Amino acid sequence: MPKALLLILLFISPFLRAGDLELLVSQPALDEILVDLKKNQHPRFAVVDYGRASTLPRFYLFDSRSHALLGSFRVSHGKGSDPDHDGYADSFSNDFGSRASSLGLFRTAQVFDSEEPGHGRSMRLIGLSLSNSNAEERAIVIHANAYMENDFIRRHGVPGRSYGCLVLSNADRNQVIQQLQGGALIFAIRQTEQVLAHH
């Protein structure tokens, strides 16, 4: 292959899957995401769709310029959002002690090594919406835990639940922190099954 043609293909390759965001997220959430992305310079962002079951990949990592999907991962929700532990988040809260997940816009902040057993490398989140404004004070962070690993999910049929944190498997946590550290945006939404059915 001529070198010039190879360079052209390498240049356009990030755009070959442009529009993944528009395929995975519908109105009105899509409009809000597109507006907020214009105010942020980070090369990547993420969308968490709590309308999907916790057994499915629902933490979507995107390229900010092309909106191409870079990866998708399983992520936990809070115990307070799923009291019957059926794998679906039914309610959301910003309240202290709720142990629930929050919807809204987050920005990634400090990366640190957690002293909590099994959490490891972690990343703080700042809540930018009224619905998640207590995220810092509630210590809502991204971290790992054994209850998000494949063997746990195979044994129990469903991942474990957090106190509201976004918990991933160890390998997925490493990738997400690497890609999103330094002020990236994370949009936590809940699309209904009716919305998803139209895709």
Side-chain angles (χ1 to χ4, degrees), residues 161-192:
R161 298 163 297 168
S162 69
Y163 284 1
C165 289
L166 281 68
V167 185
L168 303 122
S169 71
N170 197 65
D172 292 346
R173 179 273 321 272
N174 291 343
Q175 185 173 345
V176 164
I177 288 181
Q178 179 186 9
Q179 296 288 327
L180 293 180
Q181 62 184 331
L185 298 180
I186 298 175
F187 300 86
I189 64 175
R190 183 180 187 271
Q191 299 192 99
T192 64

Side-chain angles (χ1 to χ4, degrees), residues 58 148 162:
R58 56 180 181 172
M148 293 305 297
S162 69

Side-chain angles (χ1 to χ4, degrees), residues 112-122 124 143:
F112 65 103
D113 291 314
S114 175
E115 296 180 2
E116 294 290 331
H119 288 196
R121 198 83 168 143
S122 302
R124 301 191 197 281
H143 65 82

Side-chain angles (χ1 to χ4, degrees), residues 28-104:
L30 178 60
D31 286 339
E32 296 173 7
I33 289 171
L34 294 176
V35 168
D36 287 323
L37 283 177
K38 292 177 182 177
K39 309 170 192 171
N40 188 273
Q41 300 301 311
H42 198 284
R44 289 167 294 279
F45 69 98
V47 175
V48 179
D49 183 3
Y50 285 120
R52 290 169 64 84
S54 61
T55 52
L56 301 172
R58 56 180 181 172
F59 186 112
Y60 303 119
L61 179 65
F62 292 100
D63 178 273
S64 294
R65 188 166 62 164
S66 68
H67 300 171
L69 183 67
L70 303 177
S72 60
F73 315 97
R74 287 187 181 122
V75 65
S76 71
H77 51 243
K79 291 184 177 184
S81 293
D82 178 15
D84 59 358
H85 204 183
D86 67 351
Y88 285 92
D90 301 312
S91 61
F92 302 88
S93 178
N94 191 36
D95 294 340
F96 295 95
S98 66
R99 296 184 177 180
S101 296
S102 298
L103 298 178

